[in-house]
Each structure stands twice: as C-alpha cells, then as structure tokens.
Amino acid sequence: MNSNNKEIEVRFLDINKPALVGKLEALGAIDNGEELISEIAFYDKELTWMNKELKVLRLRKSKGAVQLAFKHHHAMVADGTKEIEVEVSDFDKTREILEIIGLVPYRQVEKKRHTFELGEVTIDFDTWPTVPTLVELEGESEDSLKDVAQKLGLPWETAVFEPSIIYLRTRYNIPIEKVRVFTFSEIKIEP
C-alpha cells in the first residue's frame, strides 16, 4: 500500500494457479509461502457500512501477526480503496474492544493465501471456501500492476476492482450479506 493510505490493487478471478506460479518462477519472483488467514469483519450496528457505504473494519490473524484494518471502497478502480492498517498485539482483546465500542463482529472468514513478490508488486493467490482461486496484484501504481498482469498473461479488461463482498455475491452467488461464518470447516448463512 502506498503512503497516502490508498490501496492500489486489482484481482483476476478463476485463474490457473499452477500456470501463473510457473510464470512467476520463470520471472524470478520471490515466493513468500502459503498461510491460512483468519479474520473477522466488523460493521456498524445498522450495517450501513456493509449494505451502502462499502466500509469494513477487519481484524486479521496470519503467520502469528494480528492486524486491524479500516477499508473503504469508494470507487471501483485500482486505487479506489482507502485502507489504514495497524498491527495489534492481541486478537481476542482487540475483538473485545471493538465490540464494547458498539461494532458488530458480523462475519468470520478464512482463506488460504500464497504470496509472491515481483519487483514492487505483491501477488497473492487467495483461495476461499467453495470459490475458485483468484489472484490479487497490489503495488505502488496502476502502471506497475498493468505491467505484471501483462507479464503473467492476465488481460487487463478482465480485471476486477470491486471488493470481495460484491464479487462473492454477484459472480459466485454467495449471499455474503447473510454469511456469518465462511471457513473451511463451517459455512453458516442466516435465513
């Protein structure tokens, strides 16, 4: 993420991970390995953040680190997301603080992430429960993302700029606004 809290990223859905990993290896990308990410999405009590404003406070645990991030998707373009992220020391206590101040721990999520670095671009392969693997490119500029996409044979016109809450609903028919648990061991959808 760049210094002005603007997240510059793009996703490509339904990709062939083994073929793309082969291309990354041939390009000399650094393989940072795979991990399981667990997170909780928090919204305001009225759920306007989720249903209208496309805002979320995300508490995430990965590789022994815990991060708290505020994300606001204000435009469906590569740099259309404001993100402010900090590392916190305790997942459970941070969750308790967020609940005490009135935020709703709405959705528990898991995904498997395999991360590579190619120059200034981070390439994340994300696998959610029941959803085909996707690849996310994140970097300092849209041009750097376009360059890596081209090197990997990912047509820019197929790029997805919307947040996961939208593409999970519209492209995979997952009623994410009703999903309370979306993990590899359990999926819980409210009626």
Side-chain angles (χ1 to χ4, degrees):
M1 181 179 20
N2 64 28
S3 59
N4 65 2
N5 295 327
K6 215 179 246 193
E7 188 174 52
I8 301 174
E9 67 182 10
V10 62
R11 293 174 190 89
F12 295 89
L13 307 180
D14 302 318
I15 50 88
N16 180 334
K17 181 182 174 185
L20 290 176
V21 167
K23 289 179 182 181
L24 285 166
E25 289 170 345
L27 292 166
I30 298 167
D31 184 343
N32 291 324
E34 296 182 88
E35 64 182 314
L36 178 68
I37 295 174
S38 300
E39 60 188 40
I40 300 174
F42 288 82
Y43 299 105
D44 60 317
K45 283 184 179 179
E46 297 77 24
L47 301 179
T48 56
W49 286 9
M50 177 176 56
N51 296 321
K52 294 179 185 170
E53 299 176 6
L54 296 178
K55 295 178 183 177
V56 65
L57 194 61
R58 180 190 69 210
L59 182 60
R60 174 181 282 176
K61 192 182 334 183
S62 62
K63 286 191 179 177
V66 180
Q67 299 94 21
L68 181 65
F70 170 79
K71 295 182 79 157
H72 178 204
H73 301 275
H74 55 84
M76 301 306 157
V77 294
D79 64 352
T81 302
K82 178 177 183 139
E83 180 178 42
I84 303 169
E85 185 173 80
V86 296
E87 194 162 318
V88 295
S89 61
D90 189 299
F91 186 90
D92 294 325
K93 286 185 181 188
T94 303
R95 177 186 176 146
E96 186 177 353
I97 290 168
L98 296 174
E99 289 181 55
I100 286 171
I101 64 171
L103 294 177
V104 177
Y106 192 80
R107 184 179 315 105
Q108 177 187 345
V109 176
E110 284 180 340
K111 64 182 166 185
K112 295 175 185 173
R113 173 169 280 177
H114 190 174
T115 301
F116 289 82
E117 291 177 46
L118 183 60
E120 66 178 50
V121 176
T122 300
I123 301 99
D124 290 323
F125 292 95
D126 285 345
T127 304
W128 302 70
T130 73
V131 177
T133 298
L134 63 92
V135 68
E136 177 182 284
L137 310 179
E138 183 173 348
E140 293 295 318
S141 70
E142 185 173 323
D143 287 340
S144 67
L145 302 184
K146 285 181 177 179
D147 180 57
V148 169
Q150 186 270 327
K151 287 177 180 174
L152 295 176
L154 299 167
W156 193 255
E157 61 273 7
T158 66
V160 173
F161 303 102
E162 61 211 20
S164 59
I165 193 168
I166 293 178
Y167 69 75
L168 289 172
R169 181 184 335 114
T170 60
R171 298 172 192 253
Y172 300 110
N173 298 315
I174 297 170
I176 199 69
E177 63 281 351
K178 294 180 181 181
V179 174
R180 300 307 292 261
V181 179
F182 195 52
T183 67
F184 292 100
S185 61
E186 179 184 8
I187 296 175
K188 181 179 174 187
I189 301 174
E190 288 188 339

